[in-house]
């Protein structure tokens, strides 16, 4: 089939389309109507019953694929490689779920997972799914304060963690961060289960903390607990425009259907193929395409602990592909840029057999045409940019490798996929002509797999996503669609920036900078970076009468962000300025600040309070060496 015929099938009958896709999932109870017509957003398969873990593991293990490899853990940090067949992974998960059940975790309860890229993290997620409990995974690069916010919001009964994560330049001790977070949070979990890694041992607090091995000692395997298709599978917090992250809710049924469908149609992956999403389980890409989708599809998933460069060299990705026979790789453009920078002729790849690789998928940030074209030339496989968000759970726009690729246009994230009615609107809600930039929205209802709401924040959900344009979900991205329906996603319309494929809120960074005793006012913008796409830049106005060395204040602010948000913010640049450019109503002109810092042309803001400030900012950026002449 072609993209056009698949899209046509969906347009002709969206509910029939998804009902057919739902045949790829095993249900213990059927739905009444395919989509709840009473819900404008999209609640799929109401009344149906299933278990996501059963679909990811047991059904393969019980039907002839018990010995097929489900998961390959490859650590470039320790050199370890561990393989788990479907039967083995199911048994490990059932045992862990049994221990969690004995500890009182049941359907609808939350478990927070703060763990590095080790197989036990995947087991923990699947064990929650097995019990109908809701997991909330927190990325290891966040600091204690961010972790505390998530603990306070998700209110987990159990926290699963490890003694440490491994970064190229250091061992990251998780336990002190967790203890600090628990001290800050306004909720206390009943139990902390900790995996001791050989690289660092953590101290356990008697009565609350238990060693992972002891926890499993007398565990009896737990059966899969059937849940409603509309019950939450997980909550994943992502950056919004304020310091309060948004708890994206994912349901069980729609998620399983959409992800299972996407593996074949979008990624061209069949049972037994090897799929590698080089991301982290703390991000949505890791949830969807390291853990759930490859297993739902009966494929083999790679869990890689390492970096694209430096672990030990720029050949790390090619080594993994060659060693494990990877058929499709999914990563962020930043990772490819990092490899290209160190190995522009891709000499490292000559050392490995990449013959199994059929395609490279890129997402997480805008992919510049250079990166796309370079990787296509050197790898000799299709390179497919596709666009999605934590909220959407899977790709909104892309290409369909499994149905026959259509022509790739560098700079475009492809065309709207079945399920998504993508429109580009002007500020009045009218569609703009092809080629003109506007806000990218999706007409409701959203397809299976997309967020139904925010965790315990229905009003915030409606206000954030549904209130800008009638009957539409606001993506927060802006761009244009060409006459052939190719979508170009260019920038965010809100205060979110994208650093190395990681999403950050400038508002959250500003809240932390404002905590510095010498800072009167501040603004953070994202500026262009050749490797990471964007990096944050802070503008600091100091309180009057502060006579301290500006460089010292800047260093203290950098340390403050690392302490409160975490190293993942990659906050390394800040500048002391006398004043910030504002509108007459007092709103800081962040967009203009970013453009001045990038040295690109900008429209002179008609509402600016004092135009002279723009020249002052430009001179400060030049003399600080942040902007080149
Ligand atoms: N736990 C603790 N710290 C972490 C972490 C984790 N899981 N992940 C990253 N960090 C730290 C890093 O150690 C680094 O700390 P440092 O300031 O002490 O050096 C900081 O966070 C920034 O990390 P990172 O963004 O990874 O930058 P880098 O300079 O170390 O590496 C790349 C650059 C390009 C190799 C890296 O950004 C990368 O692999 N990007 C791909 C991103 C990706 O896959 N995103 C998923 C979306 S699909
Ligand atoms: P996250 O929720 O962290 O996955 O970040 C989602 C955001 O990353 C999107 O809203 C976009 O701004 C950006 N993004 C992701 N994929 C792409 C892409 N292929 N092209 C352009 N921007 C992208």
């Amino acid at each position: 089939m072609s993209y056009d015929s698949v899209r046509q099938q969906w347009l002709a009958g969206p509910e029939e389309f998804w009902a057919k896709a739902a045949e790829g999932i095993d249900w213990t109870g059927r739905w009444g109507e395919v989509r709840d017509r009473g819900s404008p957003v999209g609640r799929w398969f109401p009344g149906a019953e299933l278990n996501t873990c059963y679909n990811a593991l047991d059904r393969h293990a019980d039907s002839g694929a018990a010995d097929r490899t489900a998961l390959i853990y490859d650590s470039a940090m320790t050199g370890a490689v561990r393989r788990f067949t479907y039967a083995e992974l199911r048994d490990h998960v059932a045992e862990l779920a049994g221990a969690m059940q004995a500890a009182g975790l049941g359907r609808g309860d939350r478990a927070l997972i703060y763990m590095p890229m080790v197989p036990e993290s995947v087991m923990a997620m699947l064990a929650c799914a097995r019990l109908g409990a809701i997991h909330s995974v927190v990325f290891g690069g966040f600091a204690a304060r961010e972790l505390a916010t998530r603990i306070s919001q998700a209110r987990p009964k159990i926290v699963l963690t490890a003694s440490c994560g491994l970064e190229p330049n250091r061992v990251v001790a998780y336990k002190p961060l967790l203890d600090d977070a628990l001290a800050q949070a306004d909720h206390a979990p009943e139990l902390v289960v900790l995996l001791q890694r050989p690289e660092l041992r953590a101290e356990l607090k008697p009565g609350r903390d238990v060693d992972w091995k002891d926890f499993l000692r007398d565990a009896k395997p737990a059966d899969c607990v059937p849940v409603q298709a509309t019950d939450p599978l997980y909550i994943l917090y992502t950056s919004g425009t304020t310091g309060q992250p948004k708890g994206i809710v994912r349901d069980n049924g729609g998620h399983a259907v959409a992800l299972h469908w996407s593996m074949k149609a979008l990624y061209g992956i069949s049972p037994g193929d090897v799929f590698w999403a080089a991301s982290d389980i703390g991000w949505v890409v890791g949830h969807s395409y390291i853990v759930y989708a490859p297993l739902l599809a009966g494929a083999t998933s790679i869990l890689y602990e390492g970096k694209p460069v430096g672990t030990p060299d720029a050949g790390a990705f090619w080594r993994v592909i060659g060693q494990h026979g990877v058929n499709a790789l999914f990563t962020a453009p930043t990772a490819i840029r990092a490899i290209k920078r160190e190995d522009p002729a891709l000499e490292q790849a000559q050392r490995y057999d990449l013959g199994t690789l059929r395609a490279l998928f890129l997402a997480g940030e805008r992919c510049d045409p250079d990166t796309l074209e370079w990787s296509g030339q050197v790898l000799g496989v299709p390179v497919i940019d596709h666009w999605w968000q934590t909220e959407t759970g899977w790709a909104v726009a892309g290409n369909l490798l499994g149905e026959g690729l259509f022509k790739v246009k560098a700079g475009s994230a492809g065309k709207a996929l079945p399920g998504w009615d993508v429109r580009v609107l002007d500020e009045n809600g009218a569609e703009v002509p092809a080629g003109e930039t506007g806000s990218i929205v999706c007409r409701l209802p959203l397809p299976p797999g997309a967020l139904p709401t925010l965790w315990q924040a229905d009003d915030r959900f409606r206000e954030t996503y549904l209130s800008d344009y009638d009957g539409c979900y606001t993506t927060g991205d802006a761009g244009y669609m060409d006459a052939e329906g190719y979508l170009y996603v260019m920038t965010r319309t809100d205060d979110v920036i994208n650093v190395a494929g990681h999403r950050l809120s400038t508002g959250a960074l500003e809240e932390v900078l404002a905590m510095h005793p010498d800072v009167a006012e501040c603004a953070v913008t994202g500026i262009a970076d050749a490797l990471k796409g964007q990096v944050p830049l802070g503008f600091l106005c100091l309180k009057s009468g502060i006579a301290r060395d500006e460089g010292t204040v800047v260093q203290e602010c950098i340390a403050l962000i690392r302490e409160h948000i975490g190293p993942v913010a990659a906050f390394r640049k800040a500048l002391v300025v006398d004043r910030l450019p504002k509108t007459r109503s007092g709103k800081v002109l962040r967009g203009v600040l970013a453009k001045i810092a990038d040295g690109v042309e900008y429209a002179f803001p008609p509402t600016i309070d004092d135009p002279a400030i723009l020249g002052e900012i430009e001179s400060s950026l030049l003399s600080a060496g942040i902007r080149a002449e």
Side-chain angles (χ1 to χ4, degrees):
M1 249 199 262
S2 65
Y3 165 84
D4 286 337
S5 47
V6 181
R7 176 93 182 162
Q8 201 44 50
Q9 261 182 11
W10 169 70
L11 279 170
E15 292 177 17
E16 291 75 12
F17 182 92
W18 290 117
K20 189 166 163 233
E23 300 303 334
I25 294 300
D26 286 8
W27 305 85
T28 45
R30 296 295 282 190
W31 50 89
E33 45 182 6
V34 179
R35 181 174 70 80
D36 178 355
R37 297 279 172 84
S39 154
V41 186
R43 283 178 88 244
W44 290 88
F45 313 109
E49 236 186 43
L50 79 161
N51 181 279
T52 297
C53 178
Y54 176 83
N55 275 278
L57 299 177
D58 301 59
R59 66 168 174 161
H60 308 302
D62 293 345
S63 61
D67 296 332
R68 185 186 298 157
T69 306
L71 187 71
I72 302 174
Y73 164 60
D74 183 308
S75 174
M77 308 306 300
T78 66
V81 173
R82 285 168 69 193
R83 292 165 180 277
F84 301 86
T85 65
Y86 269 95
E88 287 166 347
L89 191 57
R90 188 261 319 267
D91 293 347
H92 281 297
V93 168
E95 191 189 27
L96 178 58
M100 288 172 18
Q101 196 169 45
L105 192 79
R107 189 173 159 184
D109 291 335
R110 271 83 58 215
L112 188 132
I113 300 174
Y114 183 56
M115 295 188 67
M117 292 284 283
V118 291
E120 287 78 2
S121 313
V122 176
M123 291 169 195
M125 292 167 74
L126 290 163
C128 290
R130 195 170 189 87
L131 297 177
I134 303 167
H135 59 69
S136 186
V137 181
V138 181
F139 178 63
F142 282 123
R145 182 170 172 264
E146 291 289 312
L147 182 55
T149 309
R150 287 153 176 80
I151 294 170
S152 300
Q153 288 196 15
R155 311 190 89 70
K157 215 171 205 176
I158 299 185
V159 172
L160 296 118
T161 190
S163 54
C164 65
L166 304 176
E167 284 294 297
N169 51 0
R170 71 208 144 94
V171 171
V172 183
Y174 276 32
K175 189 59 184 353
L177 287 168
L178 176 64
D179 285 341
D180 187 1
L182 289 171
Q184 293 182 43
D186 65 11
H187 166 82
E190 289 165 19
L191 186 67
V192 172
V193 184
L194 183 138
L195 179 77
Q196 295 281 14
R197 299 189 76 185
E199 292 75 15
L200 182 78
R201 286 197 72 76
E203 289 290 317
L204 298 184
K205 183 175 163 192
R208 187 197 67 186
D209 303 348
V210 53
D211 186 295
W212 197 283
K213 281 202 189 113
D214 297 334
F215 187 57
L216 291 183
R217 188 145 295 137
D218 300 315
K220 310 250 176 327
D223 287 336
C224 295
V225 175
V227 297
Q228 292 286 305
T230 46
D231 280 348
L233 169 67
Y234 68 76
I235 311 164
L236 179 57
Y237 286 90
T238 189
S239 302
T241 48
T242 67
Q244 282 298 312
K246 297 183 289 197
I248 307 298
V249 173
R250 192 83 56 216
D251 68 5
N252 275 273
H255 173 255
V257 170
L259 261 52
H260 180 265
W261 178 85
S262 74
M263 280 314 280
K264 182 81 189 92
L266 175 55
Y267 299 103
I269 292 292
S270 301
D273 281 345
V274 181
F275 189 76
W276 178 22
S279 178
D280 190 286
I281 53 148
W283 308 119
V284 69
V285 175
H287 280 61
S288 292
Y289 291 106
I290 297 174
V291 183
Y292 287 109
L295 299 178
L296 287 166
T300 300
S301 181
I302 307 271
L303 178 75
Y304 172 70
E305 185 181 37
K307 304 271 172 178
V309 293
T311 58
D313 53 37
F317 274 22
W318 320 131
R319 197 254 318 145
V320 173
I321 293 172
Q323 189 168 336
H324 305 303
V326 172
N327 299 120
L329 166 65
F330 176 170
T331 191
T334 297
I336 301 295
R337 284 194 295 268
I339 295 170
K340 182 180 169 204
R341 195 165 72 168
E342 290 207 4
D343 184 17
L346 213 68
E347 282 165 7
Q348 294 281 359
Q350 313 305 322
R351 295 164 50 203
Y352 308 99
D353 177 4
L354 306 186
T356 53
L357 191 69
R358 299 197 288 255
L360 168 65
F361 290 87
L362 298 173
E365 61 187 310
R366 176 167 167 71
C367 181
D368 51 295
D370 272 1
T371 299
L372 188 116
E373 280 159 6
W374 177 81
S375 33
Q377 277 160 18
V378 293
L379 290 173
V381 296
V383 181
I384 300 163
D385 182 11
H386 58 324
W387 165 66
W388 52 300
Q389 316 180 300
T390 308
E391 288 85 343
T392 67
W394 60 287
V396 181
N399 210 317
L400 291 180
L401 182 64
E403 300 286 350
L405 278 189
F406 54 81
K407 192 179 109 202
V408 168
K409 290 190 191 178
S412 163
K415 299 186 191 183
L417 294 178
W420 300 98
D421 185 355
V422 179
R423 308 287 170 114
V424 184
L425 306 182
D426 66 19
E427 59 271 22
N428 301 316
E431 271 188 67
V432 300
E436 270 183 34
T437 298
S439 285
I440 305 176
V441 304
C442 301
R443 293 273 296 269
L444 300 177
L446 300 180
L451 83 171
T453 190
L454 294 177
W455 179 248
Q456 295 183 335
D458 289 336
D459 288 347
R460 187 178 180 198
F461 169 67
R462 280 189 292 274
E463 177 58 30
T464 310
Y465 298 107
L466 307 182
S467 64
D468 292 344
Y469 305 100
D470 223 17
C472 293
Y473 160 82
T474 302
T475 66
D477 282 311
Y480 61 94
M481 202 182 272
D482 73 11
E484 292 179 298
Y486 284 79
L487 190 67
Y488 294 75
V489 182
M490 306 305 288
T491 183
R492 293 285 306 187
T493 55
D494 54 15
D495 296 329
V496 166
I497 58 171
N498 197 311
V499 178
H502 309 319
R503 178 166 156 179
L504 292 173
S505 154
T506 54
L509 297 172
E510 287 170 5
E511 278 178 27
V512 173
L513 293 178
M515 288 160 56
H516 191 286
D518 297 343
V519 171
E521 227 190 345
C522 62
V524 175
T525 61
I527 58 166
D529 182 80
L531 175 66
K532 298 192 175 187
Q534 278 186 307
V535 289
L537 169 65
F539 293 87
L540 311 168
C541 297
L542 304 190
K543 288 179 183 156
S544 63
I546 298 289
R548 295 185 62 214
D549 173 50
E550 289 181 1
T552 308
V553 177
V554 164
Q555 286 313 315
E556 287 168 359
C557 284
I558 290 172
L560 209 56
I561 295 278
R562 199 175 168 92
E563 183 193 334
H564 289 278
I565 304 278
V568 69
F571 186 83
R572 299 208 172 95
K573 290 181 184 173
L575 183 70
V576 174
V577 292
D578 289 338
R579 325 179 271 168
L580 292 170
K582 291 185 185 168
T583 61
R584 280 189 281 276
S585 59
K587 199 169 175 303
V588 176
L589 292 157
R590 290 182 182 75
V592 175
L593 279 174
K595 289 203 167 84
I596 299 177
D598 284 340
V600 297
E601 269 188 40
Y602 57 90
F604 193 81
T607 54
I608 191 165
D609 184 31
D610 179 358
I613 300 182
L614 301 183
E616 289 171 23
I617 299 273
E618 191 169 337
S619 315
S620 305
L621 285 161
L622 287 167
S623 51
I626 291 174
R627 190 184 128 180
E629 283 288 350

